[in-house]
């Protein structure tokens, strides 16, 4: 037994996750009635990540800001530009794809949207974001309001810059301890993903998605194009080096986990660990990763654009190039606010639909379609969003290394020295 456990721990995390994935698929097809006992592994894994992520982000950001020395360089400006550019281009690609491969919907669902209510406009989305910034810190931690957590961590970090070194060491030690807890939790990822995959296949199945295959192909195809074409082009322009080893590393180590957890927030610890493995500056990624989980929403921009134009096509509304560009921009702005809206990107579809004068009841039926295909759509969206957080953080730092004349040996032996 001891030798078997040793061989298991010697396997890379990705290989262990693949084994868990295969076991989950096999169990779902052989004993689907055992959904509750097996799927609890997935619930426990995601629950543990979600539990530790808010307080981890709080202490990491506070520690990084409090220990930041004046004149010490970070790449936050470049990272934010990359986040916003990537989200806008995602919306634009989705609009172009929708024009090239128009999709219509079978509306009349009327169910599946739960008790959610969509935001009334861009003003309401921005108001929600601003209110989240001034949220009570305890409430922000309890509700995993990452915008509020970031705001309070930044303020406390700035206030503690002149604090005694012993105080800063204590904060740093707490951040390190939380990081260690995260490593322990991540070691259970194979069992967690086994439970998540089992639950998805046993409970939802794939039959419900057959009628929406064309919509899914357009959604997933657009996201793959962003991940494998647009993002690598952005990365290449910045680092002037083959970006695909870095792109595939981010997709493998971050995207796969995010695909199954379906939560950018839960994937923050995974992304932190990946940034550390890549040898990135902790002062930068401890801020950029949680920030990316709130504003870097390329997948959400794709979902909003595709489903909105599907509604437009269904109703036979003509769309000119100017309006399409406005939709791309609106999708990007709305996507950046998706983390502050209950229901995420799907509940921002009515906001985009209002651009074309589509009635709210029709828009909410489109949201219903989104919930039907959400089994795959939401997973792919989260994988794209989360893996891009690490990609753009790394790209910004590697671009700075290139300017300084430092050699960029991407992923050589798993690390950048």
């Amino acid at each position: 037994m001891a030798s078997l456990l040793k061989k298991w721990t010697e396997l890379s995390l990705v290989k262990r996750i693949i084994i868990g994935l295969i076991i989950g698929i096999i169990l779902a097809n052989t004993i689907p009635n055992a959904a509750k006992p097996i799927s609890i592994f997935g619930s426990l894994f995601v629950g543990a990540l979600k539990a530790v992520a808010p307080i981890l982000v709080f202490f990491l950001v506070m520690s990084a800001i409090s220990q930041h020395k004046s004149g010490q360089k970070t790449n936050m400006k470049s990272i934010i530009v990359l986040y916003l550019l990537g989200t806008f281009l995602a919306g634009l690609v989705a609009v172009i794809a929708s024009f090239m491969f128009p999709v219509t919907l079978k509306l009349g669902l009327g169910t599946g949207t739960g008790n959610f209510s969509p935001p009334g406009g861009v003003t309401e989305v921005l108001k929600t974001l601003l209110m989240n910034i001034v949220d009570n810190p305890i409430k922000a931690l309890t509700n995993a309001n990452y915008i509020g957590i970031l705001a309070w961590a930044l303020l406390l970090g700035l206030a503690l810059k002149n604090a005694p070194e012993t105080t800063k060491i204590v904060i740093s030690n707490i951040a390190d301890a939380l990081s260690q807890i995260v490593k322990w939790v991540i070691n259970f990822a194979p069992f967690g993903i086994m439970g998540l995959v089992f639950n998805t296949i046993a409970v939802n199945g794939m039959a419900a998605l057959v009628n929406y295959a064309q919509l899914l192909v357009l959604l997933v195809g657009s996201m793959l194009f962003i991940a494998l074409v647009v993002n690598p082009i952005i990365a290449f322009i910045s680092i002037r080096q083959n970006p695909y080893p870095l792109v595939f590393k981010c997709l493998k180590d971050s995207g796969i986990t995010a695909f199954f957890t379906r939560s950018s927030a839960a994937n923050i610890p995974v992304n932190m660990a990946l940034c550390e493995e890549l040898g990135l500056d902790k002062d930068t990624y401890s801020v950029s990763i949680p920030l990316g989980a709130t504003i870097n929403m390329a997948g959400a921009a794709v979902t909003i654009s595709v489903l909105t134009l599907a509604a437009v096509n269904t109703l036979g509304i003509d769309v000119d190039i100017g309006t399409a560009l406005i939709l791309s921009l609106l999708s990007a702005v709305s996507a950046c606010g998706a983390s502050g809206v209950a229901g995420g990107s799907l509940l921002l579809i009515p906001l985009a639909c209002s651009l074309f004068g589509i009635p709210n009841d029709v828009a909410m039926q489109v949201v219903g379609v989104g919930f039907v295909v959400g089994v795959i759509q939401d997973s792919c969206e989260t994988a794209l969003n989360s893996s891009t957080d690490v990609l753009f953080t790394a790209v910004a730092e590697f671009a700075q290394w290139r300017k300084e004349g430092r050699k960029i040996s991407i992923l050589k032996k798993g690390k950048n020295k």
Side-chain angles (χ1 to χ4, degrees):
M1 188 68 180
S3 61
L4 184 63
L5 182 61
K6 184 179 179 182
K7 288 181 180 179
W8 172 256
T9 54
E10 286 176 350
L11 289 173
S12 68
L13 181 61
V14 174
K15 289 180 180 178
R16 282 182 276 161
I17 287 174
I18 292 173
I19 293 172
L21 173 64
I22 294 171
I23 293 174
I25 293 172
I26 293 172
L27 291 177
N29 286 285
T30 53
I31 49 172
N33 293 328
K36 288 186 178 179
I38 297 177
S39 62
I40 194 173
F41 288 105
S43 300
L44 287 171
F45 175 63
V46 175
L49 283 177
K50 285 185 175 180
V52 72
I55 192 168
L56 170 70
V57 168
F58 182 73
F59 276 97
L60 278 177
V61 174
M62 183 166 53
S63 175
I65 298 299
S66 66
Q67 298 187 48
H68 179 75
K69 306 297 182 184
S70 298
Q72 185 177 340
K73 291 183 179 181
T74 63
N75 298 297
M76 285 306 303
K77 289 183 180 178
S78 299
I79 293 170
I80 292 172
V81 169
L82 289 172
Y83 282 168
L84 298 178
L85 176 63
T87 302
F88 170 73
L89 290 178
L92 183 61
V93 165
V95 168
I96 294 172
S98 295
F99 273 97
M100 293 175 64
F101 308 101
V103 172
T104 57
L105 304 173
K106 292 181 180 179
L107 298 179
L109 290 177
T111 58
T113 58
N115 295 318
F116 297 120
S117 59
V122 175
T123 302
E124 187 173 336
V125 173
L126 294 176
K127 179 183 176 182
T128 301
L129 290 174
L130 291 173
M131 292 305 296
N132 282 339
I133 290 174
V134 296
D135 196 9
N136 180 286
I138 305 300
K139 184 180 176 183
L141 285 167
T142 303
N143 297 330
N145 166 19
Y146 284 91
I147 297 174
I149 291 170
L150 278 172
W152 280 104
L154 287 169
L155 289 173
L156 284 170
L158 290 171
L160 289 167
K161 287 191 75 170
N162 296 322
E165 286 299 317
T166 51
T167 302
K168 296 180 183 179
I169 291 172
V170 170
I171 295 172
S172 179
N173 288 342
I174 294 174
D176 291 340
L178 289 167
S179 298
Q180 182 59 51
I181 292 172
V182 167
K183 290 177 182 177
W184 293 338
V185 172
I186 291 175
N187 279 327
F188 288 95
F191 302 101
I193 287 176
M194 176 193 72
L196 290 167
V197 171
F198 179 91
N199 185 66
T200 299
I201 295 175
V203 177
N204 297 293
M206 302 300 292
L209 303 176
V210 173
N211 292 331
Y212 301 99
Q214 189 178 3
L215 176 62
L216 271 173
V217 168
L218 183 58
L219 281 166
V220 176
S222 298
M223 293 180 194
L224 285 173
F225 187 83
I226 298 295
L228 300 177
V229 178
V230 176
N231 285 348
I233 290 174
I234 295 173
F236 176 77
I237 292 172
S238 298
I239 64 177
R240 307 295 170 84
Q241 187 172 329
N242 178 13
Y244 280 100
L246 178 61
V247 169
F248 291 139
K249 175 72 173 176
C250 293
L251 288 172
K252 183 185 71 171
D253 289 7
S254 173
I256 290 176
T257 310
F259 181 91
F260 293 109
T261 61
R262 297 170 69 179
S263 171
S264 294
N267 215 48
I268 287 175
V270 177
N271 284 351
M272 294 280 196
L274 178 54
C275 286
E276 182 180 2
E277 182 183 344
L278 291 171
L280 305 183
D281 182 7
K282 189 175 182 179
D283 287 343
T284 299
Y285 72 71
S286 61
V287 177
S288 68
I289 294 301
L291 179 65
T294 61
I295 69 168
N296 185 35
M297 295 286 174
V302 169
T303 299
I304 294 168
S305 296
V306 168
L307 283 169
T308 298
L309 286 177
V312 167
N313 294 333
T314 302
L315 298 176
I317 301 173
D318 292 327
V319 180
D320 56 38
I321 296 176
T323 307
L325 289 174
I326 293 173
L327 175 61
S328 302
L329 182 60
L330 179 61
S331 296
V333 173
S334 300
C336 290
S339 62
V341 179
S345 60
L346 292 178
L347 268 298
L348 287 161
I349 291 169
L351 173 60
C353 284
S354 66
L355 180 65
F356 302 96
I358 297 174
N360 190 60
D361 58 338
V362 175
M364 288 306 295
Q365 290 182 46
V366 177
V367 175
V369 173
F371 276 97
V372 172
V373 300
V375 175
I376 294 178
Q377 167 268 327
D378 191 43
S379 294
C380 292
E381 178 182 314
T382 308
L384 175 60
N385 291 342
S386 193
S387 62
T388 307
D389 294 346
V390 182
L391 176 65
F392 285 162
T393 297
V395 164
E397 184 154 342
F398 292 162
Q400 184 63 36
W401 290 6
R402 183 179 64 83
K403 291 178 183 178
E404 295 172 356
R406 296 171 62 183
K407 186 177 179 182
I408 306 172
S409 180
I410 296 180
L411 310 180
K412 185 176 182 181
K413 295 183 180 179
K415 290 188 178 182
N416 286 280
K417 301 276 185 177

